[in-house]
């Protein structure tokens, strides 16, 4: 007859042992605060098709668009463009976050690349070179040497990647059609283009963006490692530092019943590196009525 093995007596942990175990658990969990530059960049994953996974089950995509010839249009065309722009802003339900970004920065080599004409190795090459020089000079003179780019970033919440991609397929088509009606060229940025955009924003001093998707498995790095600046510093004031460059953030809340169409143009015509971001959120009728009836929320 086999003897039953005796279980070892359960030992009670000492206070010192419990504190040691709790310290190990806290170290493993972390304090929930970002400790590296990469941790401070607020997204989780970027995918090759341009879909970006954010925290809390949110996903985003970015569309680049060009200027509408509003100021050069006649009164009827201006009215049509303005109505289309209103439809664009009002066409998204409250579940879709809309962020319009207007970026103005020193042109440098980026402005030169806009008018690059390849030499053909014949007698017309000198004429091509002269034409390129004239185009670049006129472009920089008209824009004070700054390149101005415009983007709209749309954010939704979805249960998973397939659901997010299915919904964005409809939203992208509708958004591109809205830009087409206004006569503005637009295209959806893929993942590499979005990473390059983030790299340019996070490197105000300039620098070459180098990245390929097949570099990730062999390097063991994440996409954030290819766009992160050397350092971040956020003080107690509105100023901040990225690498060796300093910047400042200003918040402007406009409560006027209407916005003049010149206000954004005035912002973008300012000399210097400037970024204007507008967050637009649709609200339902009941919420709008509550805001209007709340003292101080809406002007008379």
């Amino acid at each position: 007859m086999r003897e039953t093995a005796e279980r070892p007596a359960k030992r009670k942990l000492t206070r010192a042992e419990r504190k040691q175990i709790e310290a190990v658990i806290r170290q493993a969990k972390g304090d929930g605060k970002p400790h590296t530059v990469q941790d401070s960049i607020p997204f989780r994953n970027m995918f090759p098709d341009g879909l970006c996974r954010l925290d809390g089950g949110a996903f985003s995509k970015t569309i680049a668009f060009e200027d509408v010839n509003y100021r050069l249009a006649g009164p009827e065309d201006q009215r049509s463009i303005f109505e289309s722009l209103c439809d664009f802003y009002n066409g998204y339900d409250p579940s879709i976050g809309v962020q319009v970004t207007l970026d103005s920065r020193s042109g440098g080599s980026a402005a030169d690349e806009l008018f690059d004409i390849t030499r053909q190795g014949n007698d017309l090459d000198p004429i091509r070179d002269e034409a390129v020089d004239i185009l670049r000079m006129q472009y920089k003179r008209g824009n004070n040497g700054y390149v101005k780019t415009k983007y709209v970033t749309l954010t939704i919440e979805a249960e998973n990647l397939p659901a997010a991609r299915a919904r964005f397929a409809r939203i992208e088509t509708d958004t591109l059609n809205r830009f087409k009606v206004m006569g503005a060229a637009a295209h959806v940025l893929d993942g590499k283009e979005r990473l390059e955009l983030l790299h340019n924003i996070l490197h105000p001093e300039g620098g070459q963006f180098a990245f390929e998707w097949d570099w990730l498995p062999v390097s063991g790095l994440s996409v954030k490692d290819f766009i992160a600046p050397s350092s971040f510093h956020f003080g107690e004031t509105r100023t901040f530092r990225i690498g060796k460059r300093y910047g400042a953030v200003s918040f402007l809340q406009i409560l006027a019943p209407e916005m003049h169409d010149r206000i954004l143009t005035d912002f973008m015509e300012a000399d210097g590196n400037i970024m204007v971001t507008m967050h637009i959120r649709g609200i339902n009728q009941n919420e709008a009525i509550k805001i209007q009836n709340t003292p101080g929320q809406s002007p008379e």
Side-chain angles (χ1 to χ4, degrees):
M1 187 175 181
R2 292 182 299 176
E3 295 182 359
T4 303
E6 294 184 0
R7 295 181 179 178
K10 186 176 181 180
R11 184 173 68 86
K12 187 176 181 180
L13 297 176
T14 65
R15 179 177 296 181
E17 289 173 332
R18 288 200 300 269
K19 288 185 177 180
Q20 186 177 7
I21 293 175
E22 290 172 358
V24 173
I25 293 175
R26 284 197 302 270
Q27 184 178 2
K29 290 183 176 180
D31 58 7
K33 299 178 181 179
H35 292 277
T36 66
V37 173
Q38 287 84 344
D39 292 338
S40 301
I41 302 175
F43 71 86
R44 294 177 57 186
N45 303 101
M46 182 73 72
F47 299 96
D49 62 352
L51 185 65
C52 181
R53 183 198 294 269
L54 309 173
D55 291 329
F59 299 84
S60 72
K61 273 204 167 185
T62 296
I63 298 175
F65 64 95
E66 297 181 359
D67 267 333
V68 180
N69 293 324
Y70 180 81
R71 296 173 63 184
L72 301 179
E76 292 296 328
D77 292 333
Q78 284 187 348
R79 187 177 300 108
S80 176
I81 293 173
F82 182 76
E83 291 176 353
S84 298
L85 189 61
C86 292
D87 292 339
F88 173 80
Y89 289 143
N90 297 324
Y92 298 99
D93 62 65
S95 67
I96 303 176
V98 182
Q99 174 182 315
V100 178
T101 302
L102 310 175
D103 186 21
S104 175
R105 64 180 62 240
S106 299
S109 60
D112 295 339
E113 292 174 359
L114 292 174
F115 303 103
D116 186 24
I117 300 178
T118 304
R119 295 172 62 90
Q120 303 296 324
N122 53 35
D123 296 338
L124 296 178
D125 280 343
I127 299 177
R128 294 188 180 95
D129 296 338
E130 184 178 357
V132 168
D133 291 339
I134 293 174
L135 289 173
R136 289 173 178 172
M137 181 182 64
Q138 293 296 329
Y139 178 84
K140 291 182 179 180
R141 180 180 300 172
N143 292 276
N144 296 326
Y146 290 89
V147 174
K148 306 175 190 299
T149 52
K150 303 165 183 65
Y151 307 91
V152 56
T153 299
L154 306 173
T155 304
I156 64 171
E157 292 186 0
E159 295 182 357
N160 48 48
L161 279 174
R165 288 193 171 102
R167 188 176 181 194
F168 265 123
R170 299 188 295 270
I171 296 175
E172 289 172 11
T173 301
D174 181 64
T175 302
L176 293 177
N177 286 335
R178 293 177 187 273
F179 279 120
K180 185 177 181 180
V181 170
M182 288 187 287
H187 76 280
V188 181
L189 299 186
D190 60 27
K192 186 176 179 179
E193 289 175 320
R194 290 194 71 178
L195 290 174
E196 184 174 7
L197 173 61
L198 291 172
H199 176 275
N200 294 338
I201 293 174
L202 297 176
H203 292 78
E205 73 283 358
Q208 186 68 30
F209 173 70
F211 170 79
E212 296 295 339
W213 292 104
D214 54 9
W215 292 356
L216 296 177
V218 296
S219 65
L221 301 175
S222 71
V223 293
K224 293 184 180 182
D225 294 314
F226 292 91
I227 65 174
S230 58
S231 63
F232 276 132
H233 177 75
F234 300 100
E236 296 180 356
T237 63
R238 67 188 186 95
T239 61
F240 62 93
R241 188 176 76 239
I242 301 180
K244 297 181 180 180
R245 292 294 185 96
Y246 288 84
V249 176
S250 298
F251 173 77
L252 175 64
Q253 185 178 17
I254 301 176
L255 296 177
E258 61 182 20
M259 183 187 302
H260 197 275
D261 57 4
R262 281 280 307 174
I263 186 168
L264 293 179
T265 302
D266 292 339
F267 276 131
M268 295 304 292
E269 287 181 351
D271 292 337
N273 294 334
I274 183 172
M275 177 175 291
V276 180
T277 300
M278 297 186 298
H279 295 269
I280 304 166
R281 184 178 67 92
I283 56 177
N284 58 46
Q285 186 176 10
N286 293 333
E287 186 177 353
I289 294 174
K290 291 180 181 178
I291 294 176
Q292 187 171 2
N293 294 332
T294 302
Q297 291 295 319
S298 179
E300 295 294 337

